[in-house]
Amino acid sequence: MMRFDMRAPSTGAPAAELYAAALEMAGWAERHGCLNIMLSEHHASDDGFLPSPLMLAGALAARTTSLPITVAVVILPLYEPVRLAEEMAVLDIISRGRVMYVAGVGYRPAEYEMHGVDFHRRGKLAEEKLKVLLKAKTGEPFEYGGRRVRVTPPPATPGGPMVAWGGSSLVAARRAGRYGLGFFAQSGEPELRTAYREAARAAGHEPGMCVLTPADTPTTVFVAEDVDRAWEELGPYLMHDVLSYASWNEGVTGTASLSAARTAEELRAENRSHRILSVEQAIASVRAGAPLALHPLVGGLPPETAWRYLRTVADRVLPALP
C-alpha cells in the first residue's frame, strides 16, 4: 500500500518536486504489485496538505492502468454534491473504475470556516449531501431541490463509483449502515462493527465491508538496510507528520495513525503508528499477511531520499517473497 498527503513544509522538498515524484511513484507502485494508493484531504494547512484529492487521483490514474486508488476521506459537507458527482463520473471514466471514495465529515473547524460552511451543522449537512451524491453518481435522472438533475457523461462503473463512509464514532458507523455503504474506521473498537451491522440490517441492507483499524496498526512504514541510520535521517520528517496531526487532534486517543510522541526517540520506542523496519522484519511482516503501509514522501521527505528507501523494498524485500 502507498499513501500520499502531499505535505510540503518549509523543512522539506518543494511542493512541485513532491507532486512530480508522487506521479512517478504511482507507476513504480503498480509495477511492483502495490495493492492500493490512498490520497487524503485537508484544507488551510500551513504545509499545503492535499486539498484537491480528485485532481491528483486523475493524474495518478493517467499514469497507471490497473492500480486501485482510494480517496479517503472526501470531506463531504464542504462539497456541492452534484458537482462532486460530475467530477467522480469523469474520473471513473479516466480510471476505468479504479477510484473509490470514503466520505466523512472531517474534524477541523478551520476548514469549514474557510469554505463558509457551518461546522456545527456538519452532521446534518452530511446526511443531506450524501443522499444527493448517492443518487447523482449513478447518472440516472432525479429531482433535487425542485430541479431535474442528470449527471453526464454516465460513469464507467454501473451505478457509479464505490462510495463508503468513514469515521471513528458510533454516529459514523450507523450512518454507513443506514445508507448501505461500507464502513472504514481508524479505530478498532468492536462496538463500531456492532453498530454498523445493526443499522444496516434495520434499514434493510446486508452489512458490507467493515474495516476497523486497531490502534497499534502501523500506518507509515519505511524499510531500511540500517535502521539506526534511517531513524536519524527520517526522524524529522516523521515527527512533522506526528506533531501536525497531534495539533489537530488534541485529546484524541485510540486512533491508529496518531501518536503522542514528542521526539523521534519516543516515536521509535512507541513502535506503533510510524515504523522503520529492517529488511528481515519487512519480509516477515508481509509473510504474516500485513501489507507494508508505505508513506514515501512523509513530511515533505525529499524525493531522492524517498526513492532510496523504495529501492530497498524493490531490491531486498520483494525478491524474498513467494
Side-chain angles (χ1 to χ4, degrees), residues 286-309:
V286 176
R287 284 178 174 169
L292 298 177
L294 304 178
H295 190 356
L297 300 175
V298 64
L301 184 66
E304 60 270 21
T305 304
W307 277 116
R308 180 157 30 88
Y309 288 96

Side-chain angles (χ1 to χ4, degrees), residues 43-108:
H43 304 268
S45 175
D46 290 341
D47 58 14
F49 196 116
L50 177 61
S52 185
L54 273 72
M55 183 169 289
L56 181 56
L60 297 178
R63 290 292 191 102
T64 56
T65 59
S66 61
L67 182 62
I69 300 169
T70 299
V71 179
V73 296
V74 174
I75 306 175
L76 186 55
L78 304 185
Y79 286 83
E80 198 290 310
V82 174
R83 178 61 177 165
L84 175 59
E86 290 180 322
E87 294 183 0
M88 289 168 60
V90 171
L91 185 47
D92 195 58
I93 293 168
I94 291 172
S95 69
R96 300 191 178 187
R98 290 185 286 126
V99 180
M100 72 161 287
Y101 304 82
V102 180
V105 299
Y107 54 88
R108 296 183 63 226

Side-chain angles (χ1 to χ4, degrees), residues 149-183:
V149 174
R150 183 168 68 95
V151 167
T152 60
T157 303
M162 181 183 294
V163 173
W165 194 260
S168 296
S169 67
L170 292 174
V171 171
R174 290 172 182 141
R175 180 174 291 129
R178 194 163 60 251
Y179 286 94
L181 306 178
F183 179 57

Side-chain angles (χ1 to χ4, degrees), residues 167-170 183-194 210-217 253-257 272:
S168 296
S169 67
L170 292 174
F183 179 57
F184 289 74
Q186 284 287 87
S187 169
E189 298 300 325
E191 57 263 32
L192 293 174
R193 188 184 306 276
T194 300
C210 181
V211 179
L212 306 183
T213 309
D216 61 352
T217 302
T253 59
T255 298
S257 58
R272 193 176 64 80

Side-chain angles (χ1 to χ4, degrees), residues 218-223 238 273-277 282 291-296:
T219 57
T220 295
V221 172
F222 282 79
V223 181
L238 295 173
S273 60
H274 296 65
R275 299 183 190 178
I276 302 177
L277 306 179
L292 298 177
L294 304 178
H295 190 356

